Amino acid sequence: MSARDGPTLIGSVQRALRLLEVVSAHANGAPAKQLAREAGLAPATTYHLLRTLVHDGYLRKLDGGVFVLGDKVQALHTRSRGQAMLSRIRPVLTGLRDELGTAAYLTFYEDGEIRVAEVVDSPRAYRVDLWVGCEDSGHATALGKSVLRELDDEARQEYLSRHTLADLTPRTITRPSELLRRLDASPAAPAVTDLEEYSLGTVCVAVPVYWGDTVGSLGVPLPVDRRSRLREIPERLIPAANRVTRGLSLTI
């Protein structure tokens, strides 16, 4: 790109953003001519930008010839909201990492899947590599089992109907009935453990968190030679999870 091209590209971006601002002011949409007038743009420029923004999903053209914001804008808003949420609760996870000397993991149950939302670690913190994603290993991780324990019977059965309980280690629970029995009989509730079920040499403990009606989990891993600490970890995890839930409530 030459120096001469720079201002032209910047101007195009500015005009596109101005057009998006004008469209956002009309809940029921507005036609191209009105948008051009309100944005202070030439009609030809407006039509070109509208076609581009519709093509890329930032605007939609309705049957009446009016333009409204598209799904891409909503997606940007959702991601921005998620970033704001994580920035609010990240200090809690950082404090947990520093106190326990292990990485802190946060998950949420979204669209029927258990997904990692944040990992706070450091070069000196113990961590476990998620070689199989939480979407496919919910039955074998403390993070996933914590979420499953909080779901009602119908939601659990629906989840299990879509996921194979893969045999990740010799200790992995692969029978749905046994998994559910152990979840309901967990003696350390609300804490849930993974005793080398996901990765040999690693044990984990997790507790639930909530973002409105969305359940998630907060958990930490430990090397198996520190397994004796599992009993004391919930005493640190539960207050941290409560702070996370309170922080999340401010972003709803």
Side-chain angles (χ1 to χ4, degrees):
M1 184 181 73
S2 69
R4 185 176 59 186
D5 294 329
T8 300
L9 292 175
I10 292 172
S12 295
V13 172
Q14 291 173 329
R15 288 189 287 272
L17 291 174
R18 174 59 184 152
L19 193 55
L20 286 171
E21 290 175 351
V22 172
V23 173
S24 69
H26 298 277
N28 297 317
K33 289 183 179 180
Q34 180 180 351
L35 294 172
R37 183 172 64 253
E38 294 182 7
L41 300 174
T45 300
T46 301
Y47 283 115
H48 172 71
L49 289 173
L50 288 172
R51 283 195 298 271
T52 301
L53 292 169
V54 168
H55 178 269
D56 290 343
Y58 292 99
L59 293 178
R60 290 170 51 212
K61 186 177 182 181
L62 304 183
D63 292 340
V66 298
F67 294 85
V68 297
L69 294 177
D71 294 337
K72 278 281 188 73
V73 174
Q74 180 59 39
L76 287 173
H77 173 71
T78 300
R79 285 195 288 269
S80 175
R81 181 169 173 258
Q83 290 173 353
M85 173 271 291
L86 290 175
S87 67
R88 185 184 298 275
I89 64 173
R90 193 173 286 116
V92 179
L93 275 64
T94 301
L96 196 62
R97 177 203 65 191
D98 294 343
E99 179 184 3
L100 299 177
T102 181
Y105 295 77
L106 179 70
T107 74
F108 289 110
Y109 188 62
E110 299 175 313
D111 301 321
E113 300 294 347
I114 302 166
R115 298 191 174 105
V116 175
E118 182 74 328
V119 180
V120 174
D121 64 1
S122 72
R124 290 183 295 178
Y126 183 79
R127 65 169 296 162
V128 57
D129 291 327
L130 297 175
W131 64 282
V132 177
C134 270
E135 293 93 336
D136 298 314
S137 62
H139 64 294
T141 63
L143 292 164
K145 291 195 290 181
S146 178
V147 169
L148 292 174
R149 190 180 186 281
E150 295 299 300
L151 299 180
D152 61 30
D153 290 340
E154 182 179 355
R156 284 182 186 176
Q157 293 297 337
E158 196 277 332
Y159 175 89
L160 293 173
S161 71
R162 294 183 288 104
H163 295 83
T164 300
L165 305 191
D167 187 4
L168 303 182
T169 79
R171 297 178 180 273
T172 306
I173 302 169
T174 57
R175 290 191 295 117
S177 59
E178 177 65 10
L179 176 65
L180 295 176
R181 186 190 70 77
R182 294 200 188 187
L183 289 178
D184 290 334
S186 177
V192 176
T193 59
D194 148 25
L195 304 178
E196 297 187 273
E197 297 158 47
Y198 178 80
S199 177
L200 291 177
T202 297
V203 295
C204 301
V205 58
V207 296
V209 297
Y210 276 88
W211 186 7
D213 293 332
T214 300
V215 65
S217 60
L218 174 64
V220 296
L222 294 171
V224 70
D225 60 9
R226 292 167 61 190
R227 177 174 174 172
S228 61
R229 294 193 64 194
L230 284 180
R231 290 186 178 181
E232 67 184 71
I233 295 298
E235 297 177 3
R236 277 71 175 270
L237 264 183
I238 292 172
N242 290 338
R243 291 196 296 274
V244 168
T245 295
R246 287 196 298 271
L248 293 174
S249 69
L250 300 176
T251 66
I252 297 175

